[in-house]
Amino acid sequence: MKQKAFEQDSGLSLYGGYRIAVVRSLEDVGPCLADWEALARSAGEPNVFYSPWALLPALEHLAGDKRFALLFVIRPGRPDTADRPVLDGFFPLLEPAGCALLPLKVARMFRHRYCFSVAPLVREGREPAVMRAFLRWLQAHRRQYPLLLLRDAPADGPLATALRSALADEGRHFHEGARRSRALIEPGDDAEDYLGRALSAKRRKEYRRQGRRLAELGELRLRVLQPHGEDLGAWLSAFVALEAKGWKGQSRSALGCRAACRRYFEEVATAAYARGQLRMLELSLDGRPLAMLCDFLAPPGAFAFKVAFDEDYARYSPGALLELECIRLLHEQKAQGIRWMDSCAAPEHGLSNSLWLERKPLCTFLLSSGSLLADCWVELYPYGKRLKGCWRRYQARLPDWLPSWSRTAGG
């Protein structure tokens, strides 16, 4: 961070040797940008959605009236040397709000409809110290932040290990549950060998047949967005139009159905392209897009962001054919430092689960900041979840002819 920003934070308390600066306005982020960008590139567990070029447009266009707090975990410089402060951690929080089953307000990691990871940015090798500082900050602000919910957080890796260790060292009450996983790919040495392990011979043969049938209809072409000299606006407009043409457009969930969502997408994609972190593929027939996908790169990883296909050609599986090309391209890019790619898909997503062999484990953490009441509710939380599940199962067994008020009241 720039020295000027640290001079303003000189009165901050130390938390395990760290200072934590809190920013609650987009206008105050400016002095932090350069070091925030550097931290995003140095994070032990990359999260492209918390990079400044991706998060700031989300806060501007998608946050609505939700209040947020951006926590910058700063390792102070030494006054007797020329060392300057170093940004080692970044935690974007949504300010506390109500939550079902919990009478206390709950803070969450900032998340929106297009954010698929809540892993905070932490400098590689500094995970234990940063997590400990973060927990101590929560305890110091336990009246304002009694509980913290980390939904679908990484269940393994350096961040999860550091968090569990810090929770044990600090003696904090927490609940860990809701385990699930989603598709992940770790490219091997050969794309065809990978596909051979992922798909049966019958299914590979069917995809080849569908590709040939498509090619018989006209000129079938695969295009990859090039790093320079491309009309990015045309690519983005084509993607938005293709997505809006299908069921997402009918359900009003496509990017183009909301002006704020489209502005977010265009700003994020433009920023990623300028940094060499955008990848787009297009499968077209006679110049007309049949399938397109958009991914964000964050070496050593990548994140699948959006995919769209023309449902008029669904019998040819253009989306799956493009995904196969994506897998081949990933194997080629392995030499460029891309070692894994997160599908960012729902755990039950059929296509990703059938094409991508590896899995990313996720879980949900509920943390107490240290107050007695918060500790009690964390201990009671799993029982409340079980009770809620029993109630839902009981309601599902009630006869359909019962009036709605009777079903709501349990008969």
Side-chain angles (χ1 to χ4, degrees):
M1 286 181 159
K2 294 182 180 178
Q3 188 63 37
K4 183 177 179 181
F6 289 120
E7 290 172 358
Q8 296 171 347
D9 299 328
S10 58
L12 292 173
S13 301
L14 283 175
Y15 304 96
Y18 280 94
R19 300 188 188 278
I20 296 184
V22 183
V23 173
R24 291 187 170 88
S25 171
L26 294 180
E27 290 74 18
D28 298 330
V29 173
C32 315
L33 283 177
D35 289 271
W36 185 2
E37 289 261 15
L39 175 63
R41 294 190 296 268
S42 305
E45 185 157 341
N47 182 358
V48 73
F49 303 103
Y50 283 174
S51 297
W53 54 266
L55 184 60
L56 291 178
L59 291 172
E60 180 179 359
H61 300 299
L62 304 179
D65 58 355
K66 295 178 181 177
R67 295 181 298 117
F68 60 87
L70 307 181
L71 274 60
F72 295 89
V73 185
I74 305 156
R75 187 176 3 135
R78 296 177 55 184
D80 57 333
T81 68
D83 292 346
R84 62 190 296 270
V86 178
L87 180 62
D88 277 349
F90 174 72
F91 294 76
L93 300 182
L94 278 175
E95 294 284 23
C99 179
L101 299 179
L102 296 170
L104 298 176
K105 289 188 175 182
V106 182
R108 297 168 173 82
M109 296 294 287
F110 181 79
R111 192 172 185 177
H112 54 87
R113 66 176 64 213
Y114 306 119
C115 176
F116 303 108
S117 175
V118 296
L121 299 178
V122 180
R123 189 175 301 278
E124 187 173 12
R126 305 295 301 188
E127 293 89 355
V130 169
M131 284 298 183
R132 187 164 53 249
F134 176 63
L135 291 181
R136 291 183 181 180
W137 182 89
L138 282 176
Q139 185 178 36
H141 297 81
R142 55 188 175 275
R143 289 190 177 181
Q144 185 178 359
Y145 299 90
L147 296 168
L148 176 66
L149 185 67
L150 305 176
R151 191 181 300 278
D152 290 341
D156 62 7
L159 286 180
T161 300
L163 176 60
R164 294 188 185 100
S165 177
L167 287 166
D169 293 343
E170 298 295 314
R172 297 297 172 77
H173 292 249
F174 71 99
H175 171 71
E176 179 180 343
R179 283 187 167 268
R180 57 183 194 160
S181 62
R182 67 186 181 208
L184 181 86
I185 183 171
E186 295 176 349
D189 295 328
D190 181 77
E192 299 308 319
D193 175 69
Y194 186 95
L195 292 173
R197 289 184 290 118
L199 300 172
S200 66
K202 180 179 180 181
R203 195 166 179 198
R204 294 200 308 275
K205 181 179 179 181
E206 176 61 15
Y207 280 139
R208 288 194 296 268
R209 186 193 69 80
Q210 290 174 321
R212 290 194 301 269
R213 295 294 179 266
L214 259 182
E216 292 172 358
L217 301 179
E219 181 187 2
L220 190 64
R221 182 185 179 193
L222 174 69
R223 284 204 305 157
V224 180
L225 178 68
Q226 298 303 307
H228 304 288
E230 290 272 12
D231 183 355
L232 179 62
W235 276 82
L236 301 182
S237 296
F239 185 93
V240 169
L242 183 61
E243 186 188 43
K245 184 180 178 182
W247 68 267
K248 290 183 180 180
Q250 297 172 3
S251 64
R252 306 294 296 172
S253 62
L255 287 163
C257 293
R258 296 179 175 87
C261 295
R262 179 161 186 168
R263 286 195 297 269
Y264 162 78
F265 173 61
E266 291 173 346
E267 288 187 22
V268 168
T270 300
Y273 185 64
R275 291 164 172 78
Q277 293 182 249
L278 176 68
R279 183 180 64 186
M280 295 188 73
L281 275 67
E282 177 195 78
L283 185 67
S284 65
L285 182 66
D286 291 334
R288 183 176 64 258
L290 296 185
M292 297 184 72
L293 60 78
C294 173
D295 302 329
F296 293 135
L297 308 180
F303 296 83
F305 180 64
K306 278 279 188 177
V307 62
F309 68 94
D310 190 334
E311 295 175 10
D312 293 340
Y313 292 83
R315 62 184 179 278
Y316 300 104
S317 302
L321 294 178
L322 189 60
E323 287 284 2
L324 295 177
E325 296 302 328
C326 175
I327 291 174
R328 295 185 177 100
L329 184 60
L330 273 173
H331 281 76
E332 295 175 8
Q333 288 185 326
K334 184 180 177 182
Q336 302 174 20
I338 302 298
R339 298 200 299 268
W340 54 263
M341 185 170 181
D342 188 339
S343 69
C344 297
E348 64 275 8
H349 193 272
L351 182 60
S352 296
N353 286 335
S354 64
L355 295 180
W356 300 27
L357 291 174
E358 292 75 32
R359 296 293 180 265
K360 180 181 180 67
L362 304 170
C363 67
T364 294
F365 291 94
L366 179 66
L367 314 181
S368 166
S369 59
S371 72
L372 180 60
L373 186 57
D375 288 348
C376 290
W377 278 107
V378 167
E379 295 301 321
L380 292 173
Y381 181 72
Y383 300 102
K385 293 283 287 184
R386 292 175 193 168
L387 183 62
K388 184 178 180 181
C390 291
W391 175 247
R392 285 181 172 175
R393 289 191 292 272
Y394 168 74
Q395 285 185 311
R397 290 196 299 267
L398 292 176
D400 292 336
W401 52 263
L402 279 177
S404 58
W405 63 266
S406 211
R407 295 176 61 84
T408 302

